[in-house]
């Protein structure tokens, strides 16, 4: 393997293009991709007009494909059209194929999976939608959803969409405080939750957390409580809390969907909070749904009969778009996974794939690194031959982890799609296409349809043309699934995304377009380190560290340095069973970085640690490490989005003692 992942191209696996083995991909050459991409940029009206008619069902057709844009923050698509997202995701499939499985629920305990057909899904969605109406929820109201990964959570999203209420899903790993802030910010009138949750064999007191949050949420009138375990004595507040089962059993099995305009809001979702205060990102109906459906079709090369398994939580945008809206809009079978990759053993993913004959599998680099760390033996004896497309999302994937995913999980016969996108983009914006794009390990490759990508000079804001350039990643034109606003704060929307570089959507991430035109996401702009005038990306240095056989994970930050401006500090987690007491190991790791990147990138300090601070969606929170190294442990800012706050105490000890 080359030390420079930019140099090696991995062609589309021959198997994917062999009709005897796989359905023919929709796009089979880079030329075909380029032609379609050009059309989507030069004539978006025609391109997306056609796609929207092909992939979505409209109760009233649109005449204007596109209006407004990035200059004024007045983005609108498919203006006169009307459609309902739940009709598109449920009814039309329940009408044509009522017995097709819409959802496979893989419960926390491996022997408890359950299938739900499109026919059943329509009845469940109708009943809950009726119950929400009966409790006074109307089009335009906001409903908070704080639920474990059970089928009712998916039903909850679709029931809101059916009556035109905005759902605001809060990941059920969040604390009462974080939940309270999100309920208050969105002004939610009703909360959908469950008695308890199950995750990795542990019981979570979901309803108790809701009760605590609601002590200071005057907007909430009703709490509908679903029974996940039925084991606990859940305290119910009279006049406010009601049981899900009682509420839905009173409602008829069919309720007509509300007619929604294309630009009517579909949902709010708070970003994961890696960089600071979470924002209530708002998406609207038609454009979002089209982005979701189009990317499941082209990026995952979805074909009828495929079993689509996205391992994210519905509490994140990845769950919204790739567990619920995207696959269901296409009438797919989607897998809902309640557990964690290591329960009961680190074979859980592989068992799930073999058991349900999964064709598309989608997870995060953090999960891949964790499983790689535990060794290859857990993969043995599981039939993974059904897989065609393996996706990753959430962070840059280190080439080491990419290779493990490609070789050990995909056995070199699957497409790897490293999909770059954000809560705000609604669906993938930079990504390979399985049958068309030769990949590079760690590159998100090329822009998706409708994405007119630009790399800007961070200081002057000038677009950097040609190849072999590094700067900030931006987009020149609005695309259908871009967020329309931040709930209740359009000014902040403008200032965060559209004003920093006027005329562009600013992603906040740095990127390189390499000599062959491939895009490499370098991580957040705030995370770029400047050593003696060299601009280094954290992702690059972390990748160099993780290439060392003892390293499982690494997080790199910049610290102030009198001589060089900034210097590099690296936090490193070792694989199990490797002694962390050796001085030599630190030296070896420094050498590793010097060798792979260059002497200027050598870390000044290496901390060997047990654990790294991560958000609840598994992303590294480098800003906490920056604060600790700067000696500002008392001003860490909002750490409510941290998965395990106890990690911080251990890190403080480590930093202070070295
Ligand atoms: P906040 O905006 O509150 O700080 P967040 O940005 O982590 O939170 P998300 O919208 O869930 O919230 O994540 C989007 C970010 O995740 C991107 O801006 C990028 O930094 C990172 N990301 C997502 N996918 C990839 C990928 N394939 N490669 C590199 N980075 C990725
Ligand atoms: Mg973000």
């Amino acid at each position: 393997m080359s030390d420079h992942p930019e140099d090696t191209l991995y062609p589309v696996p021959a198997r994917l293009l062999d009709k005897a083995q796989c359905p023919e991909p929709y796009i089979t050459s880079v030329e075909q991709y380029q032609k379609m991409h050009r059309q989507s940029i030069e004539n978006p009206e025609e391109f997306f007009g056609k796609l929207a008619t092909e992939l979505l069902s409209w109760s009233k057709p649109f005449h204007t494909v596109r209006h407004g844009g990035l200059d004024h923050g007045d983005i609108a698509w498919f203006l006169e059209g009307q459609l309902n997202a739940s009709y598109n995701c449920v009814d039309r499939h329940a009408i044509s194929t009522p017995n097709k499985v819409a959802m496979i629920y893989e419960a926390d305990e491996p022997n408890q999976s359950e299938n739900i057909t499109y026919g059943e899904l329509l009845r469940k969605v109708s009943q809950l939608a009726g119950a929400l109406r009966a409790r006074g929820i109307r089009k335009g109201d906001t409903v908070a959803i704080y639920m474990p990964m059970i089928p009712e959570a998916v039903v909850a999203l679709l029931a809101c969409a059916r009556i035109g209420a905005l759902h605001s899903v809060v990941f059920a790993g969040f604390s009462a405080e974080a939940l309270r802030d999100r309920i208050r910010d969105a002004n939610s009138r009703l909360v959908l939750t469950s008695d308890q949750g199950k995750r990795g064999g542990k019981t979570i007191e979901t309803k108790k957390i809701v009760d605590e949050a609601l002590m200071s949420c005057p907007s909430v009138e009703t709490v509908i409580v679903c029974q996940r375990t039925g084991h606990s004595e859940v305290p119910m507040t009279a006049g406010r809390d009601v049981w899900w089962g009682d509420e839905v059993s009173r409602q008829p099995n069919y309720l007509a969907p509300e007619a929604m305009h294309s630009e009517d809001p579909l949902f709010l979702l708070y970003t994961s909070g890696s960089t600071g205060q979470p924002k209530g990102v708002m998406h609207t109906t038609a454009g979002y749904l089209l982005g979701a459906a189009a990317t499941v079709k082209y990026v995952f090369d979805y074909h009828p009969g495929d079993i689509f398994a996205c391992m994210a939580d519905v509490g994140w945008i990845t769950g919204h778009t790739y567990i619920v809206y995207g696959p269901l809009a296409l009438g797919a079978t989607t897998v809902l996974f309640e557990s964690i990759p290591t329960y009961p053993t680190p074979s859980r993913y592989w068992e799930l794939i073999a058991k349900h004959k999964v064709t598309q599998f989608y997870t995060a680099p953090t999960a891949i690194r964790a499983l790689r760390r535990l060794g290859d033996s857990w993969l043995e004896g599981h039939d993974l031959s059904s897989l065609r497309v393996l996706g990753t999302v959430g962070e840059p994937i280190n080439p080491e982890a990419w290779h493990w995913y490609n070789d050990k999980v995909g056995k070199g016969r699957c497409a790897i799609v490293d999909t770059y996108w954000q809560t705000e983009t609604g669906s993938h914006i930079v990504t390979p296409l399985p049958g068309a794009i030769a990949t590079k390990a760690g590159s998100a490759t090329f822009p998706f349809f409708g994405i007119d990508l630009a790399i800007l000079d961070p200081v002057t804001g000038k677009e950097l043309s040609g190849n072999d350039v590094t700067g900030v990643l931006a987009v020149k034109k609005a695309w259908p699934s871009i967020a329309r606003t931040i709930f209740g704060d359009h000014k902040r929307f403008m200032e965060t995304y559209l004003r920093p570089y006027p005329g562009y959507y600013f992603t906040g991430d740095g990127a390189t377009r390499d000599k062959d035109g491939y895009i490499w996401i370098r991580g957040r702009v705030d995370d770029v380190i400047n050593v003696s005038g060299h601009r280094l990306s954290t992702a690059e240095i972390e990748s160099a560290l993780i290439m060392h056989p003892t390293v499982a994970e690494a997080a790199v930050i910049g610290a102030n340095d009198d001589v060089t401006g900034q210097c590099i500090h690296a936090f490193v987690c070792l694989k199990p069973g490797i002694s962390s007491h050796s001085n030599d190991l630190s030296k070896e790791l420094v050498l590793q970085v010097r060798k792979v990147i260059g002497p200027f990138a050598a870390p000044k300090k290496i901390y060997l640690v047990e654990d790294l601070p991560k958000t609840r969606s598994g992303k590294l929170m480098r800003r906490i490490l920056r604060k600790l190294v700067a000696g500002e442990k008392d001003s860490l800012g909002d750490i409510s989005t941290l998965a395990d706050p106890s990690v911080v105490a251990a890190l403080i000890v480590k930093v202070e003692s070295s």
Side-chain angles (χ1 to χ4, degrees):
M1 188 198 312
S2 159
D3 274 354
H4 294 283
E6 287 182 11
D7 295 339
T8 316
L9 267 180
Y10 297 86
V12 173
R15 165 180 168 251
L16 291 188
L17 300 172
D18 175 1
K19 283 177 213 161
Q21 297 189 62
C22 293
E24 189 181 356
Y26 296 104
I27 302 176
T28 51
S29 71
V30 68
E31 292 77 20
Q32 192 189 351
Y33 153 74
Q34 284 166 344
K35 188 169 162 227
M36 287 176 73
H37 184 257
R38 211 175 314 117
Q39 286 169 347
S40 74
I41 302 295
E42 288 170 2
N43 195 348
E45 279 78 12
E46 190 187 322
F47 186 91
F48 286 109
K50 192 163 156 256
L51 202 60
T53 317
E54 202 176 285
L55 295 181
L56 304 180
S57 298
W58 300 79
S59 55
K60 195 170 159 240
F62 55 87
H63 304 293
T64 311
V65 173
R66 193 169 71 108
H67 171 78
L70 301 175
D71 291 331
H72 301 290
D74 54 352
I75 303 152
W77 285 83
F78 313 114
L79 275 60
E80 306 78 6
Q82 288 186 8
L83 79 174
N84 182 288
S86 97
Y87 179 88
N88 273 272
C89 292
V90 189
D91 303 41
R92 57 178 180 160
H93 315 300
I95 293 163
S96 59
T97 51
N99 297 323
K100 176 165 184 183
V101 175
M103 188 167 26
I104 297 171
Y105 164 49
E106 172 76 20
D108 196 41
E109 295 302 328
N111 53 1
Q112 292 177 358
S113 61
E114 190 191 319
N115 291 350
I116 292 160
T117 65
Y118 273 99
E120 288 169 313
L121 187 60
L122 178 54
R123 292 189 283 277
K124 285 178 192 290
V125 169
S126 287
Q127 283 196 309
L128 182 64
L132 293 172
R133 277 238 178 100
R135 291 280 161 187
I137 299 299
R138 295 290 176 266
K139 183 174 172 178
D141 288 341
T142 304
V143 171
I145 298 174
Y146 185 78
M147 294 183 70
M149 290 283 286
I150 55 178
E152 287 82 355
V154 176
V155 170
L157 272 72
L158 295 165
C160 290
R162 196 165 190 83
I163 61 169
L166 289 69
H167 51 75
S168 167
V169 182
V170 180
F171 171 56
F174 272 126
S175 64
E177 201 183 320
L179 173 61
R180 180 200 63 200
D181 293 347
R182 287 159 180 73
I183 290 175
R184 291 177 66 127
D185 188 76
N187 216 359
S188 298
R189 295 184 51 201
L190 187 145
V191 180
L192 293 166
T193 188
S194 69
D195 54 353
Q196 294 181 313
K198 289 294 247 180
R199 207 160 173 265
K202 291 199 189 90
T203 301
I204 298 147
E205 296 296 340
T206 314
K207 172 65 164 57
K208 286 192 183 141
I209 299 170
V210 171
D211 285 338
E212 203 186 318
L214 292 189
M215 292 198 304
S216 45
C217 291
S219 62
V220 174
E221 295 151 15
T222 311
V223 180
I224 302 184
V225 187
C226 172
Q227 286 193 323
R228 165 59 181 90
T229 65
H231 292 333
S232 70
E233 310 242 317
V234 177
M236 298 287 274
T237 302
R240 187 193 72 185
D241 302 353
V242 291
W243 290 109
W244 188 295
D246 296 343
E247 295 295 296
V248 299
S249 66
R250 286 198 280 272
Q251 299 299 323
N253 280 334
Y254 178 81
L255 178 115
E258 179 102 29
M260 303 294 286
H261 288 272
S262 295
E263 285 298 333
D264 278 336
L266 180 60
F267 65 83
L268 302 183
L269 184 62
Y270 290 82
T271 55
S272 75
S274 313
T275 49
Q277 202 59 29
K279 309 169 268 282
V281 169
M282 192 182 93
H283 282 284
T284 56
T285 306
Y288 169 78
L289 200 60
L290 181 63
T295 47
V296 170
K297 176 171 174 180
Y298 291 113
V299 176
F300 289 108
D301 200 46
Y302 170 78
H303 283 77
D306 284 349
I307 307 291
F308 192 92
C310 166
M311 297 294 100
D313 192 283
V314 263
W316 309 119
I317 190 67
T318 305
H320 281 54
T321 308
Y322 299 106
I323 295 174
V324 185
Y325 288 109
L328 296 180
L330 297 185
T333 299
T334 187
V335 175
L336 184 72
F337 180 51
E338 189 180 26
S339 197
I340 55 172
T342 49
Y343 182 77
T345 73
S347 292
R348 186 64 188 275
Y349 273 177
W350 325 128
E351 283 164 7
L352 176 147
I353 292 167
K355 178 169 156 195
H356 303 297
K357 302 207 168 18
V358 168
T359 42
Q360 285 89 355
F361 183 77
Y362 196 25
T363 189
T366 181
I368 297 169
R369 289 192 297 262
L371 292 170
R372 173 182 170 269
R373 175 184 187 178
L374 298 174
D376 300 348
S377 61
W378 296 104
L379 275 151
E380 280 159 25
H382 303 286
D383 177 9
L384 307 181
S385 61
S386 57
L387 290 170
R388 289 204 322 271
V389 182
L390 295 171
T392 78
V393 58
E395 285 184 290
I397 179 163
N398 325 85
E400 254 347 273
W402 190 97
H403 282 294
W404 191 82
Y405 203 32
N406 184 47
D407 302 347
K408 304 291 177 202
V409 183
K411 317 249 190 284
R413 38 199 299 290
C414 297
I416 307 288
V417 291
D418 172 5
T419 61
Y420 168 80
W421 61 300
Q422 309 176 301
T423 308
E424 299 87 342
T425 68
S427 53
H428 306 144
I429 64 166
V430 186
T431 176
L433 302 177
I437 309 287
T439 49
K440 297 189 182 190
S443 165
T445 75
F446 298 113
F448 188 67
F449 304 134
I451 303 299
D452 196 357
L453 210 69
I455 295 183
L456 308 179
D457 180 303
V459 182
T460 63
K462 264 188 65 156
E463 189 173 340
L464 302 170
S465 53
N467 290 343
D468 217 354
V469 289
T470 297
V472 302
L473 191 68
V475 185
K476 273 190 262 187
K477 266 190 194 143
W479 62 99
S481 70
I482 184 178
R484 301 299 192 258
T485 194
I486 289 176
F487 186 68
D489 200 348
H490 195 64
K491 186 162 167 259
R492 187 172 174 208
F493 179 78
M494 297 297 291
E495 280 165 5
T496 310
Y497 308 110
L498 307 186
R499 288 282 171 259
Y501 299 97
Y504 295 91
Y505 168 81
F506 171 54
T507 62
D509 291 308
T512 298
R513 187 163 47 225
D514 75 10
K515 56 184 177 5
D516 303 316
Y518 279 65
I519 303 291
W520 297 75
I521 308 298
R522 298 302 187 192
R524 293 150 201 292
V525 177
D526 319 346
D527 286 338
V528 170
I529 306 171
N530 198 325
V531 185
S532 309
H534 300 282
R535 291 177 65 79
L536 290 160
S537 90
T538 50
E540 218 171 339
I541 308 165
E542 286 159 9
S543 292
L545 287 165
I546 208 175
M547 279 179 183
H548 194 273
T550 61
V551 175
E553 246 188 322
V556 161
I557 54 139
N560 288 333
D561 189 279
D562 294 341
V563 183
T564 54
Q566 278 192 308
C567 65
I568 294 160
H569 286 218
F571 291 77
V572 175
C573 263
L574 301 174
K575 287 185 182 165
I578 290 168
S579 158
S580 62
H581 295 294
S582 127
N583 239 333
D584 295 346
L585 183 56
S586 295
K587 277 190 203 139
E588 240 183 79
L589 294 176
V590 173
L591 217 69
Q592 168 91 4
V593 179
R594 292 176 69 102
K595 196 178 78 193
V596 178
I597 304 177
F600 57 91
K604 190 160 184 188
K605 221 165 196 173
I606 292 202
Y607 309 88
L608 300 174
V609 297
E610 290 293 316
D611 246 319
L612 295 168
K614 289 188 187 162
T615 64
R616 285 162 203 268
S617 54
K619 295 178 198 216
L620 287 171
M621 264 168 117
R622 294 186 190 77
R623 73 177 166 87
I624 294 198
L625 299 174
R626 269 199 301 267
K627 288 271 183 194
L628 293 183
V629 167
E632 295 169 18
K633 67 173 181 201
D634 298 324
S635 57
L636 294 179
D638 181 10
I639 58 165
S640 69
T641 57
L642 208 58
D644 177 6
S646 72
V647 170
V648 177
L651 288 168
I652 292 177
V653 173
K654 193 81 191 186
V655 171
E656 287 182 346
S657 68
S658 64

